[in-house]
Amino acid sequence: MLVEAEGNSATYASKAGLFTIDGVAASGLAGDVLLIQPREQRAERLIRATSPHNTLLVTERCDQLCVMCSQPPKKTHVDRFALFEEACMLAPENMLIGITGGEPTLYRHQLFDLIERIYRTRPDLSFHVLTNAQHFENDDIDRMLGPAYARVSWGIPLYASQSALHDEIVGKRGAFSQLLENFAILMRAGARIELRTVLLRGNYPALPELAHFVASRLRCIEAWSIMQLEHSGFARRRWASLAVNPRLDFAPLREAMDWSFLHQMPVQLFNIPRCALPEDYRRFAVASISDWKQKFLSACDGCRERDLCCGFFEWHPDQDECAKVTPL
Ligand code: SF4
C-alpha cells in the first residue's frame, strides 16, 4: 500500500514492513507487479500494468546457441516459477504475458503446471511462449489438449527449410529434424503456433524456399513472423557478417511474401521500419518493438506513418546502414 509519494520516490507499507523505491514516481508504478528483494536492495518490475509487452524470463539456460542470440544463455538456472505464478495472478485483466528464456521448455512440466494453475484462477490471461520446440514429447499431447492451452500461443523459430542451414544457425546438430517431429506433436495437440524467422545473411537467399516449405508443410500455423535482426547479444559484435538490409535488397523477402500471400499464409513483418519496405508491403509490417525499448530517429519527426511504425530498438546504432530512414 502506498503511504508516501514525493517526486521520484515512493514509500509503501507491506506485511514485511515499510520500503521505499527511488528513481520512479509512484504514478509510474500504479498497478504494476514488483518483486522486492530487501536484502539485495532491489526492486524488479515483473508486470507493467499499462504495457502490452510484458515478458517473464523463466530461465537463462538453453540447449541451442543461435549465432545471433539476443540473450546469450547461461549455464545456471534460478527457479522463479512460483514467483512468476504469483505475479501473473496479480496481472491486470485480459493481459497477454510473454514467457521467454533461455529455453522455457527445458522446464516444461513446471511451465505446464504454471499455465494450468493460472488458467484455473485467471482464465482471462493468455500467454505467448517463445520456445525452440525441441523438448515436446508424445506424452504431452493429452495434457496440451486441455482448455488452458487454448490461451497459449507458441512462438517457434524456423530459419530455413534446409536442415543443415537451420542447424548451423541454431548451433545444434539435429535441431531441424527434432523440430519437424515436434511440430507434428504440437499439431496433434492443436497448439497455436507462431513461426518466427530472423533475417540473416546466411538464410536470406533461401527465404523463398522456406516460404514454399511453410506453405506446403506448415499450413496450420497461426502466423509467420519474419523479422529483422536485433542489434544485441551475439548479433551486436557479428552485425556486419549477419545483418541484411531489406531496404537495399528486398528481392528474397518479396518473393517469400508473394508466395505466402498467394497461398493465404498469415505472414507478418517485425522490426522492419515502414520506410524500408515498398508501399504494397507496408500493410504486413507490425509495430512490433515494445514501447519501453523503442526509439525513433530525429529524421522520423514529421513522418506521417510514425504512429504505425516499429521504429528501432533503443540500442540500435544511429549510424548503421539500416537506420538510414526516408520519412514517408
Ligand atoms: S521515417 Fe521513421 S517513422 Fe517513418 S517509416 Fe521510417 S523509420 Fe518509421
Side-chain angles (χ1 to χ4, degrees):
M1 185 178 75
L2 180 66
V3 292
E4 189 177 83
E6 196 183 337
N8 271 355
S9 178
T11 300
Y12 297 85
S14 74
K15 282 186 205 156
L18 291 175
F19 64 91
T20 299
I21 299 175
D22 292 322
V24 57
S27 58
L29 295 171
D32 291 355
V33 181
L34 277 81
L35 173 63
I36 307 294
Q37 296 168 289
R39 278 203 198 97
E40 288 82 8
Q41 296 276 295
R42 192 160 178 260
E44 182 184 350
R45 183 152 34 188
L46 297 180
I47 306 264
R48 282 173 194 256
T50 54
S51 173
H53 305 284
N54 282 288
T55 301
L56 304 175
L57 188 140
V58 296
T59 184
E60 294 189 83
R61 283 189 59 221
C62 189
D63 57 310
Q64 296 191 160
L65 197 62
C66 299
V67 288
M68 68 303 194
C69 182
S70 60
Q71 181 100 31
K74 294 184 181 163
K75 292 199 168 123
T76 51
H77 170 69
V78 181
D79 186 341
R80 307 207 298 172
F81 276 96
L83 290 170
F84 290 144
E85 186 176 327
E86 268 190 74
C88 291
M89 295 295 185
L90 296 167
E93 216 174 327
N94 299 319
M95 184 171 258
L96 168 66
I97 297 171
I99 292 182
T100 186
E103 174 47 46
T105 61
L106 286 175
Y107 302 90
R108 82 185 192 290
H109 290 299
Q110 281 162 281
L111 179 65
F112 289 172
D113 289 346
L114 175 121
I115 288 168
E116 290 165 13
R117 273 203 294 267
I118 290 170
Y119 177 74
R120 283 197 284 274
T121 311
R122 293 289 311 272
D124 59 298
L125 298 180
S126 49
F127 294 99
H128 179 269
V129 184
L130 267 181
T131 173
N132 61 27
Q134 294 288 297
H135 306 283
F136 294 104
E137 294 184 4
N138 277 311
D139 289 350
D140 297 329
I141 293 174
D142 282 347
R143 194 168 181 181
M144 293 179 74
L145 284 166
Y149 296 90
R151 307 291 297 170
V152 181
S153 64
W154 306 88
I156 301 175
L158 174 63
Y159 297 117
S161 57
Q162 299 83 356
S163 58
L165 181 53
H166 177 86
D167 289 2
E168 187 189 329
I169 291 169
V170 303
K172 181 180 171 184
R173 191 175 296 170
F176 180 83
S177 60
Q178 186 66 60
L179 182 55
L180 287 203
E181 274 181 38
N182 289 1
F183 272 136
I185 291 174
L186 288 166
M187 286 171 195
R188 282 161 60 207
R192 298 166 47 208
I193 296 171
E194 179 215 11
L195 212 59
R196 300 190 141 212
T197 304
V198 175
L199 301 178
L200 300 163
R201 287 204 180 185
N203 67 354
Y204 198 45
L207 194 67
E209 287 171 70
L210 180 57
H212 286 241
F213 182 84
V214 171
S216 61
R217 301 276 299 272
L218 298 171
R219 291 205 61 82
C220 62
I221 57 168
E222 264 190 6
W224 181 21
S225 306
I226 299 176
M227 51 189 70
Q228 177 77 298
L229 184 61
E230 181 179 341
H231 193 276
S232 66
F234 290 153
R236 199 166 155 224
R237 55 188 159 91
R238 296 173 179 163
W239 189 254
S241 62
L242 291 178
V244 295
N245 186 351
R247 195 185 297 269
L248 301 179
D249 177 13
F250 189 65
L253 186 51
R254 182 195 302 275
E255 205 180 315
M257 300 216 37
D258 287 352
W259 189 263
S260 302
F261 188 65
L262 186 67
H263 290 82
Q264 299 180 314
M265 297 308 292
V267 69
Q268 53 191 2
L269 298 174
F270 281 10
N271 311 345
I272 305 179
R274 295 176 72 81
C275 61
L277 298 166
E279 189 175 353
D280 286 352
Y281 294 84
R282 283 181 203 144
R283 66 200 155 109
F284 298 105
V286 176
S288 51
I289 299 179
S290 310
D291 43 3
W292 55 273
K293 53 182 178 179
Q294 179 190 45
K295 76 168 177 187
F296 290 95
L297 306 175
S298 53
C300 299
D301 292 347
C303 173
R304 65 177 189 276
E305 300 209 3
R306 185 181 154 130
D307 288 348
L308 302 170
C309 185
C310 64
F312 295 89
F313 288 101
E314 177 62 41
W315 40 86
H316 195 94
D318 292 2
Q319 63 280 10
D320 178 55
E321 192 67 31
C322 297
K324 289 193 175 144
V325 301
T326 45
L328 302 171

